[in-house]
Amino acid sequence: MCGIIGYAGHRPAVPVVVEGLCRLEYRGYDSAGVAFVRQGGLRVMRAKGKLAALEEKLAQEPLATATCAMGHTRWATHGVPAERNAHPHLSNDGSLALVHNGIIENYQEVKADLASKGYVFHSETDTEVLVNLIAERRKSEPDLLHAFAAALREAHGAYAVCLMHSAEPETIYAARMSAPLIFGLGTGENFVASDIPAFLPYTRRVIFLEDGELVRATPAQYEILRLADLAPVEHEAQTIQWDMQAAQKGGHRHFMLKEIFEQPRVISDGLTGRINAARDAALLPELDALPVPRRLHIVACGTSYHSGLWGRHLLEHWAGIPVQVEIASEFRYRDSLLLEKEEMALVISQSGETADTLAALRIAREHGVPVLGLCNVVGSSIAREASAVIYTQAGPEISVASTKAMCSQMLTLALMALYWGCRRNSLPATRRRELIGLLESLPALLDDYLPAMHDRARELSRKYAQARNFFYLGRGHCYPLALEGALKLKELSYIHAEGYAAGEMKHGPIALIDPAFPTFALALDDALFPKVKSNIVEVQARQGKVIALTNPGLDLAVDDPWIIPALPAPLAAFAALPALQLFSYEMADYLGKDVDQPRNLAKSVTVE
Ligand code: F6R
């Protein structure tokens, strides 16, 4: 988590870096800082809290001359959110400054060793240890590049780092290991950052640095080297196709709202080029070279895990492939993973950087099964390490809470089920044609319904804003949606919410129901509707209030019915998902919460 940026160029560097940090704030926002060289010395400015606090400090500072700088926005791992723990960190002699995203696992040992040599530490961070280790290695290795590499070779764990030296005011050094770092090539200026939007206003030409690579850049030159032996590495620069427009709010109050309303576009983009001319087959050339799996193990975290749970229904029903879905942080510590030849792992991750999911990918590869990645971020670690990757093409998702990414993952899973259903002959062409027609109808349908859905979400959020608890209930393909609805509500509004399989309520949780504990039920027009209806009646018999997301013409009496357009199951999820997202969005906004950056969270969870 944390976002880093480094700049070496011809512009006033601190504003460039602060602007970049602003676009990286989704990665962490409990403190921020910048470093630049002034009058031959490193000047470090840091502040606890959001970037605005740092900007206030910087406003008092003469910055004009620096054309090289670096910055950091933090999500605390080692050490509480406080100015002393904010980055950049300085070496004891004040000659080096370092920003870091990741965790140095052996920092305690290194710290003890450095302390025995007289180093003192002013923070609780692993980063301050690393910058002093570089300073120590410099005593025997005066070339900073070599000292930097030597120290990094001793550091175990994950890092993306950027380093500056007081005697080289125009140079940035950077390196990565298991944490994202992208190099941006401008004209007379170069950048490194944790994510592309940080420097997108200045260049779209990028190099995705690999693990174990180090870069040294000045405004006019750069070199990329292998950390192991400092041998030069050649990379071809790629040109990013999306622009700042895609990374900005586009007139909406929050990124989250913009991203919810982008879902019709996400579906049409996700279908483009993936349906054959006869409109009866999905085209996924990424899968052509892989055998159809005998069993699929889906591994993911959070919202991506919910997509996987939903996708299981389609993969089993349409393609006839048995599917196991597991949370990555559990999967990675299982003793008997039962991964056998002819099976396949599918890791789902919007960011492509989630540490647990990446670890699961590596474990699955060690078991010798092909690993398919379903990622949104192009060039991310998971995308690069998977045997094959399918991009979900949702565009940059900035809001910390994931919305359109889930929609794009669901769409891709539906296409995969169609694709394998066709290869396995388990889904007749007529049925495939019908399903493809339905998928193609979704963008227009959602475009029509989203404004009314938003109004209803606003209305219901006002009515239920006093609730301190919520149940979300669903069955079958609606169960993953219940989990997702509850996750969205708790992470955005800090209201306790539990997603539950409706049929499980009677096995204990129903004891919690009383007039102050409302239930949000998913009661759509599908085979399980009568069962869900019975579960709702059981809640009502305990004086529980019920909001029900339901379809026209269904016989259901609840306090607050919320009618959404009917679609055959399981595709009905595409209409239910935005309703759940909008309800949580409105609830959080009404309660005055920070919608795009909820407390304690970060967008990209690169720690275990
Ligand atoms: C919830 C949310 C998280 C992520 C989870 C996995 O709104 O955003 O639960 O879904 O951290 O992230 P990715 O998909 O990047 O692996």
Side-chain angles (χ1 to χ4, degrees), residues 300-306 348-355 357 374 377 382 397 399-403 405 409 484 487-488 491-492 601-605:
C301 301
T303 292
S304 297
Y305 167 70
H306 300 154
I348 308 179
S349 174
Q350 186 285 129
S351 62
E353 300 292 346
T354 300
T357 312
L374 204 63
V377 177
I382 290 176
E397 190 180 63
S399 173
V400 166
S402 193
T403 53
Q409 290 164 349
E484 176 60 9
L487 174 60
K488 283 288 153 292
E491 70 178 329
L492 290 164
L601 299 182
K603 181 80 182 153
S604 177
V605 186

Side-chain angles (χ1 to χ4, degrees), residues 56-345:
E56 238 168 72
K57 272 194 169 179
L58 288 169
Q60 326 291 323
E61 191 74 3
L63 312 163
T65 51
T67 53
C68 179
M70 64 184 190
H72 185 272
T73 180
R74 181 167 187 255
W75 187 85
T77 53
H78 293 95
V80 295
E83 188 172 328
R84 70 177 183 287
N85 289 326
H87 301 211
H89 287 280
L90 280 172
S91 57
N92 277 188
D93 64 3
S95 69
L96 298 172
L98 188 75
V99 288
H100 169 213
N101 165 34
I103 292 181
I104 306 300
E105 286 163 4
N106 57 336
Y107 85 106
Q108 295 283 20
E109 293 132 70
V110 179
K111 189 173 185 174
D113 185 51
L114 291 172
S116 73
K117 294 185 169 88
Y119 284 84
V120 289
F121 297 93
H122 308 283
S123 75
E124 292 106 67
T125 67
D126 48 351
T127 310
E128 194 186 11
V129 174
L130 185 57
V131 72
N132 280 302
L133 180 63
I134 302 167
E136 175 62 17
R137 292 298 161 258
R138 217 161 162 254
K139 289 181 181 163
S140 50
E141 184 52 82
D143 181 341
L144 180 55
L145 190 73
H146 286 77
F148 184 33
L152 290 176
R153 280 185 220 118
E154 289 173 53
H156 305 159
Y159 54 78
V161 284
C162 185
L163 176 75
M164 285 184 72
H165 186 335
S166 55
E168 296 181 72
E170 300 234 303
T171 309
I172 48 171
Y173 293 79
R176 73 159 274 175
M177 184 68 77
S178 304
L181 192 63
I182 297 123
F183 186 66
L185 296 90
T187 308
E189 57 188 347
N190 288 307
F191 304 78
V192 285
S194 305
D195 200 358
I196 296 165
F199 53 69
L200 200 57
Y202 306 103
T203 183
R204 287 201 203 176
R205 291 186 64 225
V206 304
I207 290 173
F208 294 100
L209 296 170
E210 301 280 345
D211 277 351
E213 285 181 356
L214 190 150
V215 57
R216 171 161 59 184
T218 62
Q221 285 176 327
Y222 71 91
E223 53 185 331
I224 300 174
L225 307 155
R226 223 160 47 193
L227 183 58
D229 52 8
L230 294 183
V233 184
E234 289 294 323
H235 278 295
E236 209 162 304
Q238 302 184 28
T239 303
I240 293 303
Q241 298 307 331
W242 42 273
D243 55 16
M244 276 319 292
Q245 175 76 26
Q248 276 164 359
K249 284 185 204 160
H252 290 279
R253 257 167 64 68
H254 296 101
F255 279 112
M256 181 178 176
L257 196 57
K258 174 198 173 219
E259 289 161 6
I260 293 173
F261 273 84
E262 272 178 344
Q263 289 173 117
R265 202 262 308 142
V266 163
I267 296 173
S268 46
D269 285 0
L271 289 171
T272 304
R274 286 179 167 163
I275 303 295
N276 68 348
R279 322 214 81 64
D280 63 2
L283 303 174
L284 288 174
E286 301 90 333
L287 297 182
D288 289 348
L290 294 171
V292 179
R294 200 167 52 73
R295 175 183 297 273
L296 191 66
H297 297 260
I298 299 183
V299 190
C301 301
T303 292
S304 297
Y305 167 70
H306 300 154
S307 296
L309 284 174
W310 179 82
R312 168 162 62 188
H313 289 271
L314 286 74
L315 290 157
E316 290 188 342
H317 293 163
W318 298 357
I321 298 171
V323 178
Q324 183 177 314
V325 192
E326 220 169 325
I327 293 168
S329 53
E330 293 296 318
F331 176 89
R332 61 186 293 189
Y333 294 112
R334 286 261 308 282
D335 282 338
S336 62
L337 288 170
L338 302 174
L339 291 179
E340 290 170 16
K341 296 248 166 327
E342 297 169 39
E343 298 188 350
M344 187 186 283

Side-chain angles (χ1 to χ4, degrees), residues 260-265 268 441-452:
I260 293 173
F261 273 84
E262 272 178 344
Q263 289 173 117
R265 202 262 308 142
S268 46
S441 72
L442 288 173
L445 181 96
L446 289 183
D447 266 334
D448 279 356
Y449 276 92
L450 277 173

Side-chain angles (χ1 to χ4, degrees), residues 2-8 13-22 24-25 27 31-36 43-46 51 54 58 68-74 86-89 97-101 160-164 172-173 181 192-194 198:
C2 304
I4 69 169
I5 176 168
Y7 173 75
V14 175
V16 171
V17 162
V18 171
E19 188 193 357
L21 289 180
C22 187
L24 293 175
E25 231 186 344
R27 303 179 64 85
S31 56
V34 295
F36 52 97
R43 176 84 177 113
V44 169
M45 310 242 352
R46 307 180 295 185
L51 201 51
L54 176 69
L58 288 169
C68 179
M70 64 184 190
H72 185 272
T73 180
R74 181 167 187 255
H87 301 211
H89 287 280
L98 188 75
V99 288
H100 169 213
N101 165 34
V161 284
C162 185
L163 176 75
M164 285 184 72
I172 48 171
Y173 293 79
L181 192 63
V192 285
S194 305

